[in-house]
Amino acid sequence: MMNRMAFIKFRGNFTTNSSFHLHSETPFSSFHLALHSDVSSNRSMLHKITNLNDALNLFDEMSQRCPLPSVVHFTQLLTAVTKIKHFSTSLHLFNQMCSLGVPVNEFSMSIAIKCCCQLYRTKDGFALLGCCFRRAIPPNVYIYSALLDGLVLEDKILEAEMLFKKLVKQKLCEPNVVMYNTMIKGLCKFSNNVTAVALLRLMEQKNCKPSIVTYSTIIDSLCKDKLIDDAFKLFKEMVFEKGILPNVITYTSLIRGLCNLGHWDEASKLLIEMEDEKISPDVQTFNVLVDAFCKEGKIEEAEAVINIMIERGEVPNIVTYSSLIDGYCLRGEMIKAREIFDSMTLRGLVPNVVTYSSLLNGYCKNLNIEKAEQMFREMSGKGLKPDVVTYNTMIQGFFQVGRCVDAHKLFDEMYAQGQIPNECTYRIVLEGLCKNRQVEEALSLFHLVGDSKLNSDIAMYNILINGAGKYGKVDIAKNLFHDLIDKGLQPDVHTYTVMISGFCREGVLAEARSLFLKMEESGCPPNNVTYSVFLQGCLKNKHYDDVEMLLQEMDDRGYSLDASTLSLFIDHIAAGLLDRSMLKLFGKLVPKELLNDPSLCDWE
DNA sequence: GTAGGGTTAG
């Protein structure tokens, strides 16, 4: 049985908040070479450091010793503080060390740089790199890797690539496996799997052996992009060609990939395989299963997994319960969802922004906006700052119940609170305005924002065209359609479908028909939704010429009729408007589930 | 007797 690493919880509120500065005047004394006599006790204390106070007390005690402990000991302390992720404290202590006159070397420097970078202050990290040069501390691969990691963390992938290439070209340092892994992680973050694999090949070429981390990073990324076959190809290469044994992380990524694709059997096979290999699933592995079951609405299975997990000595965490809350919300069982939420506190788990937003989302989706507002206030009361997702959820909730003014207010508040609206926000607002018959408002917002990314997103056009078409503003829809073509955007199957839907609603079947025919030649063939929309348009407008041909085409393409189109057909046949000979075609076009639908049984 | 890398939730 493998020993589980204890997860250390960080709940301290301690932040130094002081911006970093290295006093260039600080004399770096070289007179502290003497090791303190009590080295071993110092080391044993360091092992025990799991909270900030211990670290700060030790630092205090160390800085009062005479002579001062060596830079090695101070570095050990910095490492301990950094390991518990108190980066700003670690940085503060580094500053103190400098003030005390402890000489800085590449070890302490790399920690300080790492801390800057992890605090999203990579710029300060580079400032410290400048200090390295001035202090004649030669930057090494540790320092450059920390900086590269910072750029990746801040999504500055181009700068990361530039730095990496510069280091290689100018031979500033020889990348090692960690540095390659960091660069690969960055590429994977942007789904650039092809380049990531290319870099893996380059490592091999340069005799830098890829590690389990290298393979796991790329495998995980492939899984996230649903490229499960490629992921397994790489997995097999790792195991059979490189002789690298997979670990719990590798297996968890693959299991998640399989679950997300609904390949349950294969996921369970892999779970058995890892057990055979004596690798125990951990909390995260179990959470993947819980989450996958919950997303499918299979709460009973999810709860069974949680029970197994508890039997195995794993403790469900905030992620486990958040998934469960989502599952209950999805099924509309809000009382159960709330119960789970409350039980978390009893288990000593503190709900965070994600947990609150989950429940809030559940209330919104189940149209209990008052309860959602209550959650929104409650979280602020608990000192949790609503983030973009929370605001998006709440705004969508307001629009859903027609409270446009409140949605608008919240949109403004979001700005005021420093939460920058994202693409999702705009989608929600445009859709919300359209659904509440404020197409012109949506349109003016769309033009007002003037965000080039937003304004050249076909999905945004689809929302507006759909909104315009639905409420009898076909002219606006037509203008938008021309507008996007002029911009060089490619209409997709949704664009065509919403346009056709708009034309049908207006009764301009000729225009609908010509657009429908244009789809095929534009290399964007209609899907079954397009067929349904157009067929319904034909029926409602008593335009029966194309109907049989359309049904035949659907059959040829292997599409089937949805319930609403089918029932419209039945009405038309019952009213004697359509030839009964078409019934034959339905036999092929109606999915089996619908044939068993009692409401549709009286059509013969 | 000092520093770095990979997996979870809305």
Side-chain angles (χ1 to χ4, degrees):
Chain A
M1 185 74 183
M2 243 170 80
N3 266 330
R4 294 276 152 258
M5 213 171 78
F7 286 95
I8 307 159
K9 303 251 182 281
F10 316 112
R11 299 220 183 88
N13 274 333
F14 189 93
T15 43
T16 57
N17 217 12
S18 63
S19 86
F20 175 82
H21 55 100
L22 179 62
H23 308 285
S24 50
E25 303 80 21
T26 306
F28 291 117
S29 163
S30 54
F31 295 115
H32 300 291
L33 293 170
L35 289 180
H36 191 269
S37 53
D38 200 3
V39 170
S40 62
S41 107
N42 192 38
R43 208 182 309 143
S44 69
M45 276 196 78
L46 280 164
H47 280 299
K48 271 188 265 169
I49 287 183
T50 50
N51 71 64
L52 212 49
N53 275 339
D54 291 351
L56 292 171
N57 288 337
L58 183 58
F59 186 87
D60 260 1
E61 189 261 312
M62 281 168 71
S63 48
Q64 277 158 31
R65 282 187 217 164
C66 194
L68 276 176
S70 74
V71 62
V72 176
H73 296 119
F74 276 108
T75 309
Q76 287 173 329
L77 180 57
L78 281 192
T79 306
V81 177
T82 309
K83 285 231 165 85
I84 55 171
K85 299 198 170 167
H86 283 278
F87 303 116
S88 59
T89 308
S90 184
L91 216 42
H92 175 73
L93 295 180
F94 175 77
N95 262 334
Q96 299 278 105
M97 273 170 64
C98 295
S99 306
L100 287 167
V102 179
V104 176
N105 62 14
E106 61 267 45
F107 292 88
S108 54
M109 199 53 124
S110 81
I111 296 175
I113 291 176
K114 183 199 157 96
C115 289
C116 288
C117 292
Q118 294 299 309
L119 289 164
Y120 291 82
R121 286 163 48 189
T122 305
K123 254 192 174 166
D124 292 333
F126 276 100
L128 277 177
L129 178 68
C131 291
C132 286
F133 290 119
R134 284 198 294 282
R135 302 268 162 215
I137 298 166
N140 58 20
V141 68
Y142 286 87
I143 287 173
Y144 285 123
S145 290
L147 290 167
L148 194 69
D149 200 35
L151 292 174
V152 169
L153 191 67
E154 292 186 28
D155 289 340
K156 294 176 176 163
I157 189 66
L158 290 177
E159 287 177 49
E161 280 190 71
M162 272 159 56
L163 175 65
F164 186 81
K165 284 178 185 161
K166 183 179 161 181
L167 294 173
V168 175
K169 260 192 194 149
Q170 302 183 10
K171 295 194 188 335
L172 292 170
C173 86
E174 182 70 32
N176 62 9
V177 59
V178 176
M179 186 174 263
Y180 275 109
N181 290 348
T182 307
M183 193 64 240
I184 287 173
K185 175 179 71 177
L187 292 164
C188 287
K189 201 171 172 187
F190 288 80
S191 286
N192 195 345
N193 302 317
V194 176
T195 313
V197 173
L199 212 54
L200 165 71
R201 303 297 170 226
L202 184 75
M203 304 174 61
E204 291 166 333
Q205 240 180 59
K206 297 218 169 175
N207 266 332
C208 174
K209 274 197 177 152
S211 65
I212 177 88
V213 178
T214 323
Y215 277 102
S216 294
T217 308
I218 305 176
I219 287 171
D220 184 64
S221 177
L222 292 167
C223 285
K224 280 188 177 134
D225 292 341
K226 302 196 189 295
L227 300 167
I228 200 78
D229 294 337
D230 294 321
F232 272 101
K233 228 171 109 189
L234 212 57
F235 178 75
K236 285 183 181 127
E237 172 190 312
M238 173 182 99
V239 179
F240 298 117
E241 289 174 33
K242 300 287 158 64
I244 300 173
L245 289 178
N247 60 15
V248 63
I249 296 177
T250 333
Y251 275 115
T252 303
S253 289
L254 286 166
I255 290 172
R256 182 163 17 82
L258 289 169
C259 286
N260 285 344
L261 287 170
H263 298 177
W264 298 92
D265 291 347
E266 289 170 64
S268 104
K269 264 187 217 155
L270 206 59
L271 203 61
I272 293 166
E273 182 187 312
M274 71 185 276
E275 298 260 51
D276 289 344
E277 301 292 328
K278 303 271 179 282
I279 298 165
S280 309
D282 63 8
V283 188
Q284 305 199 27
T285 323
F286 284 120
N287 281 351
V288 165
L289 300 171
V290 170
D291 194 54
F293 278 129
C294 286
K295 286 207 165 75
E296 295 261 316
K298 297 174 174 163
I299 307 250
E300 290 70 23
E301 284 88 339
E303 290 191 321
V305 173
I306 295 178
N307 286 334
I308 295 170
M309 152 177 199
I310 294 169
E311 276 169 29
R312 297 270 199 109
E314 295 288 352
V315 184
N317 60 16
I318 190 162
V319 179
T320 326
Y321 291 112
S322 291
S323 294
L324 204 53
I325 288 171
D326 277 338
Y328 277 117
C329 288
L330 190 69
R331 293 215 306 211
E333 298 177 29
M334 292 311 296
I335 295 175
K336 275 300 274 188
R338 180 72 214 207
E339 262 175 41
I340 302 291
F341 182 88
D342 293 332
S343 79
M344 288 174 63
T345 318
L346 299 173
R347 291 168 204 274
L349 296 169
V350 184
N352 60 13
V353 181
V354 178
T355 331
Y356 269 97
S357 302
S358 277
L359 201 54
L360 193 149
N361 177 50
Y363 284 125
C364 286
K365 293 281 143 55
N366 291 289
L367 302 179
N368 191 343
I369 197 78
E370 288 79 18
K371 274 265 166 52
E373 287 182 272
Q374 195 189 317
M375 294 307 294
F376 192 82
R377 279 193 298 269
E378 193 181 312
M379 67 187 285
S380 307
K382 294 245 159 89
L384 290 171
K385 262 182 80 171
D387 64 12
V388 184
V389 183
T390 325
Y391 279 107
N392 287 352
T393 310
M394 200 68 220
I395 290 172
Q396 193 170 35
F398 279 137
F399 274 125
Q400 252 167 359
V401 297
R403 285 170 59 181
C404 300
V405 176
D406 290 313
H408 204 282
K409 268 191 206 159
L410 208 59
F411 183 73
D412 290 339
E413 186 194 312
M414 162 172 195
Y415 254 117
Q417 294 295 324
Q419 296 295 331
I420 310 298
N422 58 17
E423 280 165 66
C424 222
T425 321
Y426 286 109
R427 185 180 52 74
I428 287 165
V429 173
L430 292 183
E431 217 161 41
L433 288 170
C434 287
K435 282 200 174 124
N436 286 283
R437 297 174 176 262
Q438 302 187 13
V439 180
E440 278 91 352
E441 284 240 20
L443 208 59
S444 66
L445 177 72
F446 182 69
H447 292 307
L448 192 76
V449 173
D451 178 299
S452 61
K453 205 171 150 201
L454 181 73
N455 285 304
S456 55
D457 185 351
I458 191 71
M460 300 294 171
Y461 273 99
N462 293 345
I463 290 168
L464 291 168
I465 291 173
N466 189 34
K470 241 183 203 150
Y471 300 110
K473 315 235 155 124
V474 171
D475 287 345
I476 295 183
K478 271 166 92 170
N479 284 340
L480 283 162
F481 191 77
H482 290 135
D483 186 31
L484 75 91
I485 304 268
D486 287 346
K487 273 192 191 164
L489 287 174
Q490 196 70 45
D492 64 12
V493 65
H494 295 99
T495 326
Y496 284 111
T497 306
V498 292
M499 281 301 293
I500 290 167
S501 167
F503 285 137
C504 288
R505 201 172 280 111
E506 283 287 289
V508 274
L509 259 282
E511 294 225 42
R513 187 172 189 275
S514 96
L515 207 55
F516 186 85
L517 296 174
K518 205 176 150 193
M519 292 181 75
E520 196 73 53
E521 58 189 76
S522 307
C524 177
N527 63 15
N528 58 346
V529 181
T530 325
Y531 274 101
S532 291
V533 162
F534 189 39
L535 270 170
Q536 290 202 23
C538 290
L539 294 180
K540 284 176 187 159
N541 289 286
K542 301 198 165 41
H543 184 282
Y544 301 120
D545 302 353
D546 299 326
V547 170
E548 191 156 4
M549 179 198 73
L550 289 167
L551 290 173
Q552 189 57 56
E553 276 179 26
M554 283 185 82
D555 185 38
D556 295 343
R557 291 177 193 258
Y559 293 157
S560 53
L561 280 169
D562 61 57
S564 66
T565 314
L566 183 63
S567 91
L568 197 63
F569 262 108
I570 291 161
D571 294 347
H572 277 251
I573 290 169
L577 293 163
L578 270 176
D579 197 290
R580 289 178 70 88
S581 67
M582 258 179 234
L583 287 173
K584 261 188 289 172
L585 258 173
F586 287 168
K588 297 196 225 168
L589 286 170
V590 179
K592 282 195 194 94
E593 323 71 274
L594 280 185
L595 281 176
N596 296 328
D597 187 335
S599 68
L600 298 168
C601 274
D602 52 351
W603 54 309
E604 264 286 358

